[in-house]
Amino acid sequence: MAEVSARVREQVRAAWGGAVLREFWAQAREALESAKRPDRFSVALPDETTRAAVSEIYGRELYLGHSRIMVAKLDQVLRADGRFGLGLAQVLEVLHGEPVATAGSGAPEPGSAAIAQAHAALAAHGLDRSPWAEAWARWLHQYGRVAEAELPRLTDRAGSVLAALALDPGAAPAVWVSRADLATPDEPTELDDGGALSRIVLRAAALAHHVDPPAGERERRSLWERCGVTVDDVAGTVLSWALPLRGADAWSRSITGRTELGLPTHLTHRDLAAAPERLVEPGAVVAVCERPRLVEASVRAGIRHPLVCVSGTPSTVALALLDRLRADGALLRHHGDFDWPGIAVARSLWSERQVGLWRMSAADYRAAVDRAARERLDLPNLVGTPVETPWDPELAELMSTASRAVEEETFLSTLLDDLRTGTLP
């Protein structure tokens, strides 16, 4: 272990050596020295002072009571600390005055086969200097449960898969790929749940995105999607109506034919993969709504204005379609519910995907609330955590004051008039 200067040792003890953190560090040492090589340990957070201190070190808000601490993530956070840059074992040696016992504990050993293989696989794809690379290599060595004979193949495949993922925690995926497309033709199920490759890839993804490793199917799916990967390319759909497709190919004719029959179309990732490179002409105005009711009403009214329904929080295929349309030069205009989840969706589309907003101003909200009062319409209570509205700061303030949610259906007649005239203010 590299020598730590006397000055740094003094600073570490001053920052992290108090009585409040004594039990936390003791549990961390027990985990590192355990022959069972646990990848996590539980720590008691009996009061606000302890909770705040441990949360600050771990880099995320924990809850009073007991919390689960991931060993590899704690090591990563400590190494990334700009003041000291020490790994967990080094911090414990400084605080306790003795090195972490390595006999039988599986503590990281420089030059181990797993660490070397992991670094080589990442280096082949330019990922070895990633902030999470060292923590992942050490996790693979300590807890990866990969047979030595399998290390070269699995780490090489993991490096190839990770190179195709969106691993920047501060950016939304720019493109989407099916998990099946990341697998090799010879082993099409190698990334399915339960396999070794899936497990070690998702561990790296969790470290990269600063989240706990997934504990179930829903969390695994969520983590894959954070990385721009769809678990399959046929289950998720996005509802569309009257898209003004420019092509004369069979795919475009099939969608246009459904519109002629008065039938909306549910598109999957597989549909989008089979679509022509360009979907619409630049300047095409496409409305984006939150609820299928507006699509149904448009179809029944014979209104052929292009419409995409995200059905609440946009799915990966909905985002992929919007990205494709925007890349073609389409002008996207979104309307959704005036509740905090609806505002969160609107803000995300507006800020992250440059989707314009349609009747989502403070004036629109005020008009809807006033109309409901005049017509004695019941509006739901506005619940949840407020979301800022940077496109119109007055909107969030007004919603908090009125404390009423306005669902998209309340605007139905107005929205249909907009679609009928082709004007989306």
Side-chain angles (χ1 to χ4, degrees):
M1 181 178 296
E3 182 64 28
V4 180
S5 70
R7 180 171 175 272
V8 171
R9 288 175 180 270
E10 182 178 346
Q11 291 174 334
V12 169
R13 294 190 189 103
W16 295 333
V20 169
L21 293 168
R22 185 175 295 128
E23 181 62 22
F24 172 68
W25 295 122
Q27 293 295 325
R29 176 177 282 269
E30 182 178 334
L32 283 191
E33 294 184 339
S34 171
K36 295 182 179 180
R37 303 182 180 184
D39 64 352
R40 68 198 73 188
F41 62 91
S42 179
V43 62
L45 305 175
D47 51 60
E48 179 59 28
T49 301
T50 306
R51 186 204 68 79
V54 176
S55 294
E56 182 179 3
I57 290 174
Y58 197 48
R60 56 168 288 193
E61 288 298 316
L62 303 173
Y63 298 99
L64 287 172
H66 283 78
S67 281
R68 183 180 64 179
I69 304 297
M70 309 305 298
V71 175
K73 181 178 178 180
L74 177 59
D75 183 72
Q76 178 192 24
V77 170
L78 293 174
R79 290 176 184 278
D81 186 282
R83 295 170 296 173
F84 313 125
L86 303 178
L88 176 58
Q90 290 174 297
V91 170
L92 293 173
E93 180 177 339
V94 170
L95 293 176
H96 296 157
E98 59 179 305
V100 173
T102 58
S105 69
E109 301 172 4
S112 72
I115 290 177
Q117 291 284 353
H119 280 299
L122 295 178
H125 299 279
L127 297 173
D128 55 316
R129 296 186 180 276
S130 301
W132 48 268
E134 181 65 24
W136 180 66
R138 289 173 177 274
W139 171 86
L140 190 64
H141 170 62
Q142 290 180 268
Y143 314 112
R145 307 195 312 275
V146 176
E148 188 170 348
E150 282 289 290
L151 268 174
R153 182 186 69 84
L154 279 177
T155 53
D156 180 66
R157 286 292 300 128
S160 298
V161 173
L162 289 167
L165 305 189
L167 297 175
D168 180 355
V175 296
W176 294 92
V177 61
S178 170
R179 184 174 61 176
D181 289 336
L182 294 175
T184 60
D186 293 338
E187 294 187 69
T189 64
E190 65 176 347
L191 286 169
D192 287 2
D193 291 345
L197 181 59
S198 175
R199 176 167 51 82
I200 66 177
V201 166
L202 286 178
R203 175 61 65 143
L207 289 168
H209 284 279
H210 308 300
V211 299
D212 287 340
E217 190 276 334
R218 180 174 297 180
E219 291 181 8
R220 287 192 292 270
R221 176 183 290 270
S222 177
L223 184 53
W224 279 120
E225 290 179 354
R226 275 177 179 254
C227 298
V229 178
T230 60
V231 175
D232 60 67
D233 59 9
V234 296
T237 66
V238 57
L239 179 60
S240 65
W241 165 244
L243 292 179
L245 301 176
R246 65 194 295 269
D249 57 284
W251 189 93
S252 300
R253 292 198 310 272
S254 70
I255 307 301
T256 303
R258 289 183 60 84
T259 301
E260 294 300 323
L261 292 172
L263 300 174
T265 300
H266 288 269
L267 296 169
T268 67
H269 275 289
R270 196 163 187 83
D271 288 314
L272 295 183
E277 182 178 356
R278 296 283 301 277
L279 297 178
V280 300
E281 296 288 355
V285 179
V286 179
V288 182
C289 66
E290 182 169 345
R291 294 176 178 251
R293 178 71 180 93
L294 183 57
V295 177
E296 178 192 44
S298 295
V299 174
R300 288 181 177 275
I303 299 171
R304 294 284 183 91
H305 194 289
L307 189 56
V308 172
C309 178
V310 298
S311 300
T313 301
S315 63
T316 59
V317 66
L319 294 176
L321 175 59
L322 296 182
D323 288 344
R324 290 280 300 270
L325 293 171
R326 186 167 58 84
D328 287 347
L331 304 177
L332 306 180
R333 298 290 182 265
H334 171 73
H335 184 276
D337 290 344
F338 281 102
D339 58 14
W340 296 128
I343 293 298
V345 169
R347 176 172 175 168
S348 175
L349 292 176
W350 177 78
S351 63
E352 297 177 11
R353 286 185 156 74
Q354 296 76 55
V355 176
L357 299 180
W358 163 35
R359 292 199 183 274
M360 292 294 290
S361 69
D364 294 312
Y365 176 77
R366 183 185 295 109
V369 172
D370 290 346
R371 171 173 162 262
R374 288 194 309 270
E375 300 179 8
R376 298 185 179 182
L377 302 176
D378 291 332
L379 295 179
N381 290 328
L382 185 63
V383 297
T385 303
V387 178
E388 293 183 355
T389 53
W391 65 89
D392 187 347
E394 184 184 350
L395 173 58
E397 182 178 350
L398 185 60
M399 289 176 63
S400 296
T401 301
S403 196
R404 289 291 183 269
V406 179
E407 297 171 342
E408 194 167 52
E409 283 89 339
T410 305
F411 281 89
L412 195 61
S413 60
T414 300
L415 299 177
L416 288 174
D417 287 343
D418 291 343
L419 294 172
R420 188 177 286 109
T421 61
T423 304
L424 309 184

